[in-house]
Amino acid sequence: MIPIEGVQGPRREPVADPEIAFRIRPATADDAPVVRALIRRVRINPTGLDWRRFLIAEGPEGMIIACGQVKPHGDGTRELSSVAVDENWRGRGAARAIIERLQQRAGPPLWLTCRSGLEPMYTRFGFQRVHDRRALSPYFQRLDRLARLLLGILRPGEGLAIMVWQESCTSEGALAAQV
């Protein structure tokens, strides 16, 4: 699995060891501070965090080891967001389990934004990069313009990938011709 913080490494399959087992469950209000701390620790966007939308991976003794949410936007789009895994738990399948469960719950279409170096992680889940800016919803058009401006100034060479998962992404690649 590619680490969340953007440093690419070899894909590792989850370790089948009962001592490192985790379970996926909906977050509770009591989990909110831990989720916020995890999001900040892995340095991803801390805006729009609402514990009611989160699934968490709970490790031994109730420790929150990973999280993710589907965030709605005003234009009707929904975004896979805030996928974060504690550094000590990466490569053990927690992100995969959360993403797959969120996809099952939300259904397509589901959008996401990530650093361009993380695209390979999300293509494994059927997400395709949207290259045609005209295919973006109003929310993602604004986000794309802002990201190109800010990243061009702050981090030349680093880009933002806007991706979408639709039923057609997984059958015959029909979306690929459109995006």
Side-chain angles (χ1 to χ4, degrees):
M1 176 175 281
I2 297 171
I4 290 294
E5 287 190 54
V7 178
Q8 292 190 26
R11 182 173 178 212
R12 296 175 287 184
E13 294 300 319
V15 180
D17 182 340
E19 291 184 29
I20 61 164
F22 57 85
R23 72 181 183 109
I24 305 297
R25 66 169 176 81
T28 66
D30 291 339
D31 298 322
V34 180
V35 167
R36 277 192 305 274
L38 177 59
I39 297 295
R40 286 190 176 99
R41 197 165 58 247
V42 300
R43 296 186 199 119
I44 59 176
N45 183 357
T47 62
L49 305 179
D50 182 341
W51 66 267
R52 294 169 292 197
R53 296 189 298 249
F54 273 86
L55 289 181
I56 61 168
E58 186 177 72
E61 301 173 13
M63 181 175 112
I64 295 176
I65 60 168
C67 64
Q69 70 170 327
V70 172
K71 183 170 37 174
H73 296 295
D75 64 2
T77 58
R78 296 164 305 133
E79 180 181 11
L80 176 68
S81 178
S82 311
V83 177
V85 179
D86 181 270
E87 185 176 294
N88 297 317
W89 283 86
R90 293 188 185 147
R92 300 181 190 188
R96 177 184 304 158
I98 287 173
I99 292 168
E100 288 174 350
R101 187 82 53 89
L102 287 170
Q103 284 180 297
Q104 288 171 352
R105 277 181 155 190
L110 192 59
W111 294 79
L112 72 81
T113 58
C114 65
R115 290 185 290 271
S116 55
L118 292 175
E119 277 184 68
M121 175 180 161
Y122 293 107
T123 57
R124 291 192 318 236
F125 297 99
F127 285 89
Q128 299 284 325
R129 185 167 190 165
V130 179
H131 293 284
D132 182 355
R133 291 187 175 108
R134 295 172 298 176
L136 298 174
S137 72
Y139 172 82
F140 288 100
Q141 287 178 3
R142 286 188 305 273
L143 182 63
D144 181 60
R145 281 193 300 272
L146 182 61
R148 282 186 288 124
L149 174 68
L150 291 177
L151 291 175
I153 294 169
L154 301 175
R155 295 181 182 157
E158 186 172 321
L160 180 73
I162 299 176
M163 304 179 79
V164 65
W165 170 63
Q166 298 189 53
E167 290 175 326
S168 60
C169 286
T170 57
S171 61
E172 311 290 325
L175 180 67
Q178 299 173 11
V179 292

